[in-house]
Amino acid sequence: QVELVESGGGLVQPGGSLRLSCQVSGFTFRNYSMTWVRQAPGKGLERVSAIDSGGEGTYCADSVKGRFTISRDNAKNTLYLQMNSLKPEDTAVYICAPGSCFSNNYPFKGQGTQVTVSS
């Protein structure tokens, strides 16, 4: 049974930082590219960042370049997203899923963790 559990979200002031985690089980994590996507209120899924099985990350969204860093620990079956210099427009539910920036859909994904950037 595939399971993805995100954590690490919360309320942070503009300019602050958060580190999100995604604990994975039910499939061979190290063999898959992984993606962070987000969904803001009233909007569709936005692809944020992806990382291949070898650990090379890429940005799906220009808006997070230089501020967010994706990483993974295959020994712990865990995906991370370090978010710095957060902006109010980063407010969303952040969700992890197997796939890449170019995946048409994400049939397996977690419930997400809420990130709210506000003063």
Side-chain angles (χ1 to χ4, degrees):
Q1 180 179 347
V2 174
E3 188 172 18
L4 303 103
V5 180
E6 301 90 343
S7 62
L11 173 64
V12 63
Q13 292 186 342
S17 299
L18 284 173
R19 188 192 195 204
L20 307 184
S21 299
C22 171
Q23 181 69 50
V24 167
S25 61
F27 65 98
T28 308
F29 176 72
R30 64 179 180 273
N31 291 345
Y32 286 82
S33 296
M34 294 293 297
T35 305
W36 284 100
V37 300
R38 64 187 180 185
Q39 187 160 25
K43 296 187 178 180
L45 280 178
E46 178 186 19
R47 296 161 177 82
V48 175
S49 186
I51 188 166
D52 66 16
S53 59
E56 183 168 352
T58 187
Y59 297 107
C60 308
D62 288 344
S63 61
V64 306
K65 282 183 179 179
R67 300 189 298 121
F68 291 10
T69 303
I70 191 171
S71 62
R72 66 192 298 161
D73 186 334
N74 288 339
K76 296 182 178 179
N77 283 358
T78 304
L79 179 72
Y80 302 100
L81 186 68
Q82 177 67 45
M83 306 187 296
N84 298 328
S85 302
L86 282 160
K87 303 176 181 180
E89 51 263 43
D90 295 318
T91 295
V93 175
Y94 284 72
I95 301 162
C96 64
S100 73
C101 295
F102 307 102
S103 296
N104 289 327
N105 55 55
Y106 301 96
F108 298 103
K109 49 186 177 289
Q111 292 296 311
T113 186
Q114 176 71 48
V115 171
T116 302
V117 185
S118 175
S119 55

